[in-house]
């Protein structure tokens, strides 16, 4: 299976209490370590094709996201979600389903852990990964590939 892990663009990551002087600082980019851990684990313990799309680092905006998803042709898109990026994360899910409604959308991250039911109620979300995702994502990919029972997959 082809898995595309997406770190949404950070355009809305500042809160309304972030001082203006910090909003425009060019302090570089923080690598998406959580997604990198998941990718490394899947590649080590399974035979799935995994790619990471860090939208900010790769300069991919929402206007070009659909083309990027088409180019990478994933079976599953995993999206990192925090409470600060909830709108951006959901927009990635919407764009994914516009490209191909058969692509499974998986959400994970701190917001998902806290608001699991609310996140799963979003129309474009197919699965949630709760807690640490390395093992769970690998189990989910294996189960989906074999069309086996998902009840054996922990933390979804």
């Amino acid at each position: 299976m082809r898995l595309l892990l997406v770190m949404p663009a950070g355009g809305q990551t500042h809160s309304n209490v972030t001082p203006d002087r910090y909003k425009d600082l060019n302090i570089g980019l923080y690598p998406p370590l959580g997604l990198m851990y998941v990718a490394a684990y899947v590649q080590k313990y399974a035979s799935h094709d995994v790619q990471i799309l860090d939208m900010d680092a790769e300069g991919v905006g929402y206007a070009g996201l659909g083309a990027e998803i088409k180019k990478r042709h994933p079976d599953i898109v995993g999206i990192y979600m925090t409470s600060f990026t909830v709108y951006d994360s959901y927009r990635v899910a919407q764009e994914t389903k516009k490209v191909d409604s058969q692509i499974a959308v998986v959400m994970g991250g701190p917001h998902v852990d806290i608001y699991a039911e609310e996140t799963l109620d979003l129309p474009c979300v197919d699965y949630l990964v709760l807690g640490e995702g390395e093992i769970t994502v690998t189990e989910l990919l294996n189960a989906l590939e074999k069309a086996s029972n998902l009840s054996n997959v922990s933390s979804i």
Side-chain angles (χ1 to χ4, degrees), residues 27-83:
I27 57 173
L29 298 169
Y30 187 76
L33 292 178
L35 296 181
M36 294 167 78
Y37 290 142
V38 170
Y41 190 92
V42 170
Q43 288 180 330
K44 183 172 182 175
Y45 295 104
S47 59
H48 306 288
D49 176 36
V50 184
Q51 297 180 37
I52 296 174
L53 171 59
D54 182 338
M55 292 179 66
D56 285 336
E58 295 185 44
V60 175
Y62 290 103
L65 180 58
E68 192 67 30
I69 292 169
K70 283 180 189 176
K71 180 175 85 173
R72 296 177 187 231
H73 195 64
D75 300 301
I76 299 173
V77 171
I79 306 164
Y80 182 72
M81 180 184 273
T82 68
S83 295

Side-chain angles (χ1 to χ4, degrees), residues 8-14 62 79-94 107-108 110-112 115 118-120 122 125:
Q12 299 180 28
T13 57
H14 294 290
Y62 290 103
I79 306 164
Y80 182 72
M81 180 184 273
T82 68
S83 295
F84 290 115
T85 65
V86 69
Y87 297 110
D88 295 304
S89 298
Y90 186 58
R91 188 161 177 198
V92 172
Q94 290 173 313
M107 291 281 194
H111 184 86
V112 173
Y115 300 106
E118 294 84 351
T119 306
L120 195 55
L122 296 172
V125 178

Side-chain angles (χ1 to χ4, degrees), residues 129-130 132-141 153-156:
V129 171
L130 304 175
E132 299 299 322
E134 293 89 337
I135 295 170
T136 303
V137 169
T138 305
E139 290 176 355
L140 178 62
L141 289 167
V153 179
S154 62
S155 300
I156 61 166

